[in-house]
Amino acid sequence: MSADRPISDSAVPQITRGHRLQFEPAQDCHVLLYPEGMITLNDSAAEILQRCDGQRSVQAICTDLSAAFDGAEVTADVHDFLKLAASHGWVILA
């Protein structure tokens, strides 16, 4: 995915095969594990990736996160993170 190409609200993100999201008690945070290593995630990234289940659209993820955080405007942040995640191969967008 090109960094300048927008993500469609109807796209359905899913964590890429070979990657696994889990909470790491020793680091007190969520991490994304993959065969070559581990990515330590901030709370926002973890909240987004927890919703990348291959069932929910980008719009549904934004709506759910906004509701979870008292109506906060999250759309731009979700789109920016998903572009980054897709460019690194952490998620696919169907």
Side-chain angles (χ1 to χ4, degrees):
M1 159 167 275
S2 170
D4 58 341
R5 196 166 113 209
I7 292 176
S8 168
D9 283 334
S10 63
V12 178
Q14 182 174 1
I15 295 175
T16 308
R17 186 180 190 145
H19 290 76
R20 185 177 77 231
L21 177 67
Q22 74 177 39
F23 185 77
E24 187 60 50
Q27 295 184 350
D28 193 32
C29 66
H30 281 88
V31 296
L32 187 63
L33 300 172
Y34 60 105
E36 296 84 21
M38 175 179 75
I39 301 154
T40 302
L41 302 169
N42 65 28
D43 291 340
S44 298
E47 289 288 344
I48 295 167
L49 282 177
Q50 287 176 56
R51 291 162 171 82
C52 293
D53 56 10
Q55 303 297 313
R56 292 181 248 202
S57 68
V58 172
Q59 181 60 51
I61 291 169
C62 292
T63 299
D64 188 48
L65 283 168
S66 180
F69 292 96
D70 298 321
E73 176 48 55
V74 300
T75 302
D77 291 334
V78 170
H79 280 249
D80 289 346
F81 176 76
L82 288 175
K83 280 185 199 178
L84 174 76
S87 74
H88 286 291
W90 305 341
V91 299
I92 55 170
L93 298 160

